[in-house]
Structure formats: structure tokens, C-alpha cells
Amino acid sequence: MRKIKCIISYDGTNFSGYQIQPKKRTIQGKIENALQKIHKGTPIRVHASGRTDTGVHAIGQTIHFETEFDLSAYNWRKALNTLLPDDIYVKEVEEVSNTFHARYDVVEKEYHYYIWNEKEFDVFKRNYAYQFPYPLDVQAMQKACSYFEGTHDFTTFSSAKATVMGSKVRNLFEASCKQNGKEIEFIFRGSGFLYNMVRIMVGTLLDVGQGKLDPETIPELLEKKDRRMVGETVPSQGLYLWQVKYE
Amino acid sequence: MRKIKCIISYDGTNFSGYQIQPKKRTIQGKIENALQKIHKGTPIRVHASGRTDTGVHAIGQTIHFETEFDLSAYNWRKALNTLLPDDIYVKEVEEVSNTFHARYDVVEKEYHYYIWNEKEFDVFKRNYAYQFPYPLDVQAMQKACSYFEGTHDFTTFSSAKATVMGSKVRNLFEASCKQNGKEIEFIFRGSGFLYNMVRIMVGTLLDVGQGKLDPETIPELLEKKDRRMVGETVPSQGLYLWQVKYE
């Protein structure tokens, strides 16, 4: 058996998220379907670095699968891109060692979140950013971002619905916020992320940007370990899984 | 009766073009449907500056309709945007004189066409630009653009399927081409445009950009008045009706 690693990009707009579900249009479903065609009907399981929710996009999601087929990286890429719909694209293919695992071997994940900060609705942004009409204090949000960096228990900033057992301690290497005209870009890099963590952090940062919350309260909120302490989860269409790093 | 003029924007991706057609999702269909709801069931006819094809976008399409209702511009805009789907947006509303006509009173129309000039396919550009993987000589295309400016018979650059009678002479105030990184932007401003004219001109400009055609041949091609002389019609998703001007 050979193990194939792929870096893929997708426009999450018309998918019910990454994970395969009966009768739903999912990214995993489309990829497994393409692989099954290549393997003349044999089902092939695909493993990703993690799931993404409905509407969330990916610039560099990473997956792997096992195969008995001996194709070059070039031919895997070509065969998959021919069979996949035009909202999924395989950017890179590489044969990897049999010990590699797209989920368990992750050392860093990077997410970006985009706000379109403009009063007027823009039809072209509706699926690709969160359109936020009120003025935002970017400097205050930058300050607040810095308190997220480092190793913390992120219980306050994870979905109360999350059923994950074990530690909610995560290490954020970067949390930053930058304005480019009407666009505000948030970048988060870390060893791992809890369910909805980026979207809840951005929701809280928007409270800071509107002056509803002081940047200095972030450490206290982290200490409370209570999801009810912070604001809303921002919508999925502003979120991009940017890249996944391995050893 | 009052006459209401609206400037609207739409993402053409999920529409079968502007013009109303039975059982198809069209921009005109959605607007007339919203107006009929506002008018408690009375059908209201909408007139646009012109049609746009399937997949073509609008930043500033202009429409008008007649109504017995006396709403403020603010309330018309609000009522329409509440009832319209999120891929159509009413940007401006204005009450105009009873002699105004969105189609017959046009003095200038502006179209933009976007090329994404990059070898790798980008899922986020697929509905919003024409992805063209081969190198292009922007200077040669700029030169060729200049030959389109002025008053010419554009028969060579209009669809052979067009059934329009009368003159194919049009006056182009501007034809230009500019590179911004991987994006190439074409701007065309004129008194009027023939069916598919922008998309055929851009197809020809891409032949120039690839060195298949000399910029100096444009005047000859115009003189031939024969659609078969020039290259293909570029796809609709790169085309934007940018603005429409009136007296």
C-alpha cells in the first residue's frame, strides 16, 4: 500500500461541511467518490487534518488516503481534478511514508478570518467574508489579540456543544489583526484549535473593536473557563483553513 | 403614477441571466416578484438598461418601474432589499420624471472584464473572472484597445446570432487594459454595445496578448465586418455591467 498526501482548496459555500454525511453534498464525500471511480468501484477512505463546518473555506486543507495504485504525483493530481467538482481543487500531491497521518501528525494549523467592514451590503462578499457595518477600533483588537497568544485553557472560547474530552489547553503561536482598506484580516496559528474556537475569539474581538469590552479583560475571560462569558460565534463564511503544517 | 429608478448590483452566478423566463431563476423575475408582493398581488413590470446573460454580474445595473404607491426612496430600498434574495441588492433608489426610461435614455454604459492570469486554478475566482493560464503581453493588448476607441461599425465584434436590425455603428469612449498583479482588467465605456461585443473584443485582445494577432490588425478586422474573422467569445463570469449613465 502507498500513502498519498494532498493539499486541497475548496469554496465551502455549496457544501454541508467537510465530513461525509448521507444525502448531503460534502467535501469528503466528493473526494471519496472521485477516488472510488479511480479505483474502479473500490471504496477509499480519506483522512483530513480536521473537519470544517458548512460554509467554511480552505486554502490549504490536508488529506491522506491509502491506495494500491501506482500513479505519479502529477497523474494523481490530474485524475482527481478531472473528477472533482469545480469548487474543490487539488493543489499538491505527494507520496508519503506509511506512518504519516493527516490528523494526528499536525504540528501547526493556521486559520484566517475576514471581516468586510462597510455599511453597504456587497453581494460579492456575502459568501466570502463577514459583512460588519459598524466602526471597529483595529488597534484595540490588535491589543486584545496579543492576550490570546501563548498557552491557555480556551474553554471560554470553545463551543458549549463540544463533546471533546480531555484538555482544552491549546498553544497559540500567533493571534493578529490587520486592516487592509475595508477588509480586516485575523490570523490565528496554533498547535490545535477547539470546536468553534476561532469564530468565538473573533466574536469577542468584535466586542472589543466596538468598545463593548476592554482588551485587558481577555486574560480574566480565559481564566473564567465559561463559554457564557463571551459574545456570539461569528458566521462561517468569513473563516478559511489557511494551511496545515507537519514535522 | 410615480416612476422609480433603482441602481442594483447582482452576483450573476446563480441566475439564468437578467431577463424573465418561465421556470428560470432570473434577476428580472426576482425583482418583479418582490414588487408584486409590495403591491399586494398586482404585477409590476420592470425595465432595465439592457439584459445581461447567464453568469454576467452587475455593479450598477439600472432599472425603473411605475407605481401608485407613495414610499420614500429609503423605504423602497428597504422593502426591496428585505424581499430580494441575497444575490441581488438595491444600492440606490430615486423618484424620477415620468419621461425617464432606463433603456432608451442611456447615454453611456461601462463594462469591466476580469482575467485571472495564473497557471493554477483558483476555486474562489471560478465564478468571478476568466482564469487564463498563458502569459499575456499587456502592452500589446493596450495598444490594440486604442484601435477600438472612437466610432466604428462593430459587426466583426458582435454575435452572428444577433438579430438586431439597424446600424451596428457604436461609439466607444474608452477601451483600456490594466494589470494589477495576476488580475488583468479591461474597461469599456461607450454609447451602446452590440450583443456579446465586449466578450468578443476581449477574446480578440487575448489573441493579441498571446502574439497570435498584431495590434495593428484591429482596424482591418473592423473594416471586414465579418464575425468569422475573429476569435472566441470569452466566458460570461468575467463580465461586469459596471455603471449606466443618463442625461
Side-chain angles (χ1 to χ4, degrees):
Chain A
M1 290 299 261
R2 293 156 187 280
K3 207 171 241 184
I4 306 296
K5 173 191 172 195
C6 305
I7 299 175
I8 64 170
S9 170
Y10 46 83
D11 176 341
T13 306
N14 299 319
F15 289 105
S16 299
Y18 173 80
Q19 193 183 26
I20 201 162
Q21 297 170 70
K23 314 215 176 192
K24 298 272 189 171
R25 189 173 190 270
T26 66
I27 294 119
Q28 187 184 0
K30 290 294 177 191
I31 298 171
E32 293 193 355
N33 196 264
L35 285 169
Q36 186 163 356
K37 276 184 191 151
I38 295 171
H39 292 81
K40 301 172 201 301
T42 308
I44 304 287
R45 176 87 330 177
V46 167
H47 300 269
S49 71
R51 305 167 190 175
T52 54
D53 282 340
T54 301
V56 174
H57 310 292
I59 301 293
Q61 167 71 291
T62 302
I63 59 163
H64 84 254
F65 60 87
E66 289 187 303
T67 177
E68 287 182 338
F69 277 40
D70 182 15
L71 295 184
S72 67
Y74 178 86
N75 282 330
W76 273 119
R77 191 166 167 276
K78 200 170 152 186
L80 283 166
N81 282 329
T82 303
L83 291 167
L84 286 169
D86 71 356
D87 45 0
I88 307 179
Y89 183 69
V90 177
K91 296 164 95 168
E92 288 176 39
V93 175
E94 188 190 350
E95 190 173 334
V96 286
S97 108
N98 265 305
T99 63
F100 176 82
H101 197 289
R103 183 167 165 206
Y104 302 123
D105 293 356
V106 174
V107 295
E108 184 183 308
K109 267 183 164 179
E110 179 172 337
Y111 285 96
H112 289 201
Y113 194 93
Y114 292 93
I115 302 281
W116 186 247
N117 193 18
E118 155 67 35
K119 257 189 263 178
E120 286 298 307
F121 181 75
D122 183 332
V123 294
F124 299 101
K125 301 287 177 189
R126 74 192 193 288
N127 296 321
Y128 304 108
Y130 175 30
Q131 303 197 37
F132 192 81
Y134 311 110
L136 289 167
D137 179 342
V138 176
Q139 265 199 309
M141 294 195 293
Q142 277 169 340
K143 177 86 179 146
C145 275
S146 67
Y147 291 110
F148 284 122
E149 292 184 348
T151 303
H152 306 284
D153 184 315
F154 282 96
T155 304
T156 306
F157 298 93
S158 75
S159 173
K161 281 179 281 176
T163 52
V164 179
M165 297 303 187
S167 167
K168 295 202 172 172
V169 173
R170 293 291 182 277
N171 184 6
L172 283 199
F173 311 133
E174 177 183 354
S176 66
C177 166
K178 198 171 70 183
Q179 182 157 23
N180 313 301
K182 291 173 181 177
E183 181 185 277
I184 296 169
E185 177 186 61
F186 293 94
I187 299 180
F188 300 95
R189 287 189 303 111
S191 57
F193 291 84
L194 301 169
Y195 186 58
N196 273 354
M197 182 171 144
V198 173
R199 290 165 58 190
I200 298 168
M201 286 192 295
V202 173
T204 305
L205 288 165
L206 291 181
D207 283 345
V208 171
Q210 292 172 90
K212 293 179 186 173
L213 204 67
D214 213 58
E216 281 72 27
T217 54
I218 301 292
E220 293 166 42
L221 292 169
L222 283 163
E223 267 168 44
K224 291 263 167 68
K225 295 175 197 169
D226 184 351
R227 171 67 184 91
R228 293 166 302 175
M229 299 306 295
V230 295
E232 57 175 329
T233 307
V234 289
S236 61
Q237 76 271 12
L239 186 61
Y240 293 72
L241 172 53
W242 206 261
Q243 65 171 327
V244 186
K245 285 188 184 161
Y246 297 91
E247 283 290 348
Chain B
M1 289 299 259
R2 293 154 188 281
K3 206 171 242 183
I4 306 295
K5 173 191 172 194
C6 305
I7 300 176
I8 64 170
S9 170
Y10 47 83
D11 176 341
T13 306
N14 298 320
F15 289 105
S16 300
Y18 173 80
Q19 194 183 27
I20 201 162
Q21 296 171 70
K23 312 211 177 199
K24 297 272 190 171
R25 188 174 190 270
T26 65
I27 295 118
Q28 187 184 359
K30 290 293 177 191
I31 298 172
E32 292 192 355
N33 196 262
L35 284 170
Q36 187 163 355
K37 275 183 192 151
I38 295 171
H39 292 82
K40 302 172 200 299
T42 308
I44 303 286
R45 177 91 322 180
V46 165
H47 299 269
S49 71
R51 304 167 191 174
T52 54
D53 281 341
T54 301
V56 175
H57 310 292
I59 301 293
Q61 168 71 292
T62 302
I63 59 163
H64 85 254
F65 60 87
E66 288 187 305
T67 178
E68 287 182 339
F69 278 38
D70 182 14
L71 296 184
S72 67
Y74 179 87
N75 282 330
W76 273 118
R77 191 165 168 274
K78 200 170 153 187
L80 283 165
N81 282 328
T82 303
L83 292 167
L84 286 168
D86 71 356
D87 45 359
I88 308 180
Y89 183 70
V90 177
K91 297 164 94 167
E92 287 176 38
V93 175
E94 188 190 350
E95 189 172 334
V96 287
S97 108
N98 265 305
T99 63
F100 176 82
H101 196 288
R103 182 165 166 207
Y104 302 125
D105 293 355
V106 173
V107 295
E108 184 184 309
K109 267 183 163 178
E110 179 172 337
Y111 285 97
H112 289 200
Y113 194 92
Y114 292 92
I115 303 279
W116 186 247
N117 192 18
E118 155 68 34
K119 257 190 260 178
E120 287 298 308
F121 180 75
D122 183 331
V123 293
F124 299 100
K125 300 286 177 191
R126 74 194 194 288
N127 296 321
Y128 304 108
Y130 175 31
Q131 303 198 36
F132 193 81
Y134 310 111
L136 290 167
D137 179 343
V138 176
Q139 264 199 308
M141 293 196 292
Q142 278 169 339
K143 176 89 179 144
C145 274
S146 67
Y147 291 111
F148 284 122
E149 292 184 347
T151 304
H152 306 285
D153 184 315
F154 282 96
T155 304
T156 305
F157 299 93
S158 75
S159 174
K161 281 178 281 176
T163 52
V164 178
M165 297 304 185
S167 167
K168 296 201 173 174
V169 174
R170 294 290 182 278
N171 185 9
L172 282 199
F173 311 133
E174 177 183 355
S176 66
C177 166
K178 197 171 70 183
Q179 183 157 22
N180 313 302
K182 291 172 179 176
E183 180 186 278
I184 296 168
E185 176 186 62
F186 293 95
I187 298 180
F188 300 95
R189 286 189 302 112
S191 58
F193 291 84
L194 301 169
Y195 187 57
N196 274 356
M197 183 171 146
V198 172
R199 290 165 58 188
I200 298 168
M201 287 192 294
V202 173
T204 305
L205 289 165
L206 291 181
D207 283 345
V208 171
Q210 291 173 90
K212 294 179 185 173
L213 204 67
D214 213 59
E216 280 72 25
T217 55
I218 301 292
E220 294 167 40
L221 291 170
L222 284 163
E223 267 168 44
K224 290 264 167 68
K225 295 175 199 171
D226 184 349
R227 172 66 184 92
R228 293 167 303 176
M229 300 305 295
V230 294
E232 55 174 330
T233 308
V234 288
S236 60
Q237 77 271 13
L239 186 60
Y240 293 72
L241 173 52
W242 206 260
Q243 64 170 329
V244 186
K245 286 188 184 161
Y246 297 90
E247 282 290 351

